[in-house]
Amino acid sequence: MRITTSLITLLCSAVLLLPGSTSAQVAEAPTFAADVAPILYRSCVNCHRPGQIAPMSLINYREVRPWARSIKNKVETRAMPPWHLDRRLGIQSFKNDPSLTDEEIATIVAWVDTGASQGNPADTPTPPEFAPADAWQIGEPDLVVQFPTYTVPAAGPDLFGSLFTDMGLEEDRYITAIQTRPIGDKVREVVHHALSYAVERDGDGEVMGGGLFLVEYASGKQAEVYPPESGLLLPGGTEARLSYHLHSVGEEVDAKVELGINFLPKGAEPEHIRYSKQLGGSQGQVIGVLDVPAGEIARSDGYTRFNNAARITMFQPHMHMLGKYQCIEFIYPTQPVRAETVNCAGFDYNWHMNYNYADDVAPLIPAGTILHVTSWHDNSASHRGNVDPNNWVGSGQRTIDEMGFAWIGWYDLTDEEYEAELATRNVARERTEN
């Protein structure tokens, strides 16, 4: 199905929202020192500092002042910090939310509109101390797996294949957090995606099947941290396989990728096994059949049935350059049938955001629930990610092709566990409401 430009503009206004609270309490004439610096130090300078991925440093007033109007635009439209979740519907409580409050946005807007003054330099808080630029998001890992270096030429077709290395794990352990880390800014640019697996070989040295899936990486994705009661078994004695998709960026790049893993203590087992899979692809497949005509915006839909009750822990949209907006909906096995839109999010190919639900609001679904994923792709000239709006685009693995599905993290529940968790959730909600 295709959708009009006016409607998709409305749907995607999640990334174009103005500060929503007119009652936010802000100073009449905010200053950098007293009002703006604390916001930047909390939500911006982790990336906007020397040696990090952002294009400019925003640590002191001298660095910030030339960018004042640009900063206003980026925070006012919620383009920065990257967090593309539609704030108008669905669940809004997440473990990894870096976004600004309405009051913080209003403060920055008022600061720029009143002249972007420095104020008293003595009021400026001390900049935060940072871990090294290449520090792990999951803390120092229990295990670091380094894949062989792959040299990506300056120009050429997209590259697909696998890299293998020893996992370095002798005994079975349960994963509690995992992160894929490209080493260096240019490596981030050439890695379209990287899927990590644990694999075994037969007596002839041949890899046995595709292996146990561990984690997906795409541009801008954060680490995956599992809920405390869950984990994924990583068998000892396995090899690590990196299924890569690399593309050239105009200069030769030595692509180095590593995997950081944290475990439960030795001998400990989790209550639940945590899964992460590509679900709800267009036409019911992982990739499916996408039809995005030249100059148009197209919608596609996919469905996946959960055979067991489950607790949903993470949602991450996945599309390519033309991706614009995605929604996930649960269709419950009730009579009459009831459907609920859980979340919608704008999409930016440079920031594959994974939304990790807070424990007290993570969706609980009964057995037989159907996940409905709706994706919109924008092939118009106005879409900044569009290479050529005059060309039709369809499904495929290349960067210039398209996909439409959601990465979903979850763990299964028995029917009894589902009912118990639902009852606990309802009691907590009643207490809050009263």
Side-chain angles (χ1 to χ4, degrees), residues 83 91-98 176 222-230 274 311-314 354-362 411:
W83 187 255
I91 296 171
Q92 296 294 320
S93 182
F94 295 85
K95 295 179 179 179
N96 59 329
D97 183 355
T176 60
Q222 301 182 55
E224 290 196 23
V225 179
Y226 302 170
E229 66 277 18
S230 67
R274 197 265 194 184
R311 181 189 184 104
I312 308 300
T313 63
M314 186 270 290
N354 54 324
Y355 303 98
N356 295 297
Y357 292 106
D359 292 335
D360 60 339
V361 298
Y411 59 78

Side-chain angles (χ1 to χ4, degrees), residues 230-253:
S230 67
L232 178 66
L233 177 63
L234 178 57
T238 54
E239 284 187 61
R241 177 171 76 92
L242 187 76
S243 175
Y244 63 78
H245 174 187
L246 308 172
H247 53 191
S248 299
V249 294
E251 64 179 89
E252 186 175 278
V253 177

Side-chain angles (χ1 to χ4, degrees), residues 187-249:
V187 179
R188 294 189 187 97
E189 292 182 28
V190 301
V191 178
H192 174 280
H193 74 245
L195 307 181
S196 295
Y197 299 83
V199 299
E200 296 180 280
R201 296 182 184 270
D202 61 22
D204 297 324
E206 298 296 324
V207 174
M208 300 168 57
L212 170 68
F213 175 72
L214 300 177
V215 69
E216 175 259 7
Y217 172 82
S219 304
K221 181 174 179 176
Q222 301 182 55
E224 290 196 23
V225 179
Y226 302 170
E229 66 277 18
S230 67
L232 178 66
L233 177 63
L234 178 57
T238 54
E239 284 187 61
R241 177 171 76 92
L242 187 76
S243 175
Y244 63 78
H245 174 187
L246 308 172
H247 53 191
S248 299
V249 294

Side-chain angles (χ1 to χ4, degrees), residues 72-323:
K72 172 188 172 183
N73 173 262
K74 292 296 185 182
V75 301
E76 195 173 38
T77 60
R78 291 197 179 275
M80 287 286 161
W83 187 255
H84 307 132
L85 200 80
D86 192 326
R87 300 168 73 89
R88 300 166 299 176
L89 76 169
I91 296 171
Q92 296 294 320
S93 182
F94 295 85
K95 295 179 179 179
N96 59 329
D97 183 355
S99 62
L100 303 186
T101 66
D102 289 343
E103 182 176 351
E104 289 172 327
I105 293 175
T107 295
I108 292 175
V109 170
W111 173 65
V112 176
D113 288 347
T114 56
S117 66
Q118 180 177 15
N120 183 355
D123 292 336
T124 308
T126 302
E129 294 184 5
F130 295 104
D134 60 350
W136 294 92
Q137 296 171 1
I138 60 173
E140 191 60 33
D142 296 326
L143 175 67
V144 176
V145 179
Q146 296 180 330
F147 292 99
T149 300
Y150 190 102
T151 300
V152 181
D158 285 20
L159 301 168
F160 301 88
S162 292
L163 300 173
F164 295 87
T165 191
D166 181 53
M167 188 74 75
L169 186 70
E170 296 181 357
E171 58 187 333
D172 294 356
R173 297 289 297 274
Y174 282 92
I175 297 171
T176 60
I178 188 166
Q179 178 188 346
T180 307
R181 188 170 71 167
I183 308 301
D185 291 343
K186 280 300 176 183
V187 179
R188 294 189 187 97
E189 292 182 28
V190 301
V191 178
H192 174 280
H193 74 245
L195 307 181
S196 295
Y197 299 83
V199 299
E200 296 180 280
R201 296 182 184 270
D202 61 22
D204 297 324
E206 298 296 324
V207 174
M208 300 168 57
L212 170 68
F213 175 72
L214 300 177
V215 69
E216 175 259 7
Y217 172 82
S219 304
K221 181 174 179 176
Q222 301 182 55
E224 290 196 23
V225 179
Y226 302 170
E229 66 277 18
S230 67
L232 178 66
L233 177 63
L234 178 57
T238 54
E239 284 187 61
R241 177 171 76 92
L242 187 76
S243 175
Y244 63 78
H245 174 187
L246 308 172
H247 53 191
S248 299
V249 294
E251 64 179 89
E252 186 175 278
V253 177
D254 288 333
K256 298 180 181 179
V257 177
E258 56 187 6
L259 194 64
I261 306 175
N262 284 338
F263 298 110
L264 285 175
K266 290 183 179 181
E269 295 186 7
E271 295 180 36
H272 301 284
I273 301 301
R274 197 265 194 184
Y275 302 99
S276 177
K277 292 187 178 181
Q278 308 168 0
L279 301 180
S282 302
Q283 307 299 321
Q285 304 298 318
V286 170
I287 300 175
V289 181
L290 289 174
D291 176 11
V292 190
E296 296 189 21
I297 296 168
R299 165 181 167 171
S300 63
D301 297 79
Y303 302 85
T304 299
R305 184 182 189 274
F306 281 81
N307 296 323
N308 299 309
R311 181 189 184 104
I312 308 300
T313 63
M314 186 270 290
F315 154 58
Q316 177 194 334
H318 185 90
M319 294 176 275
H320 286 183
M321 303 294 287
L322 302 185

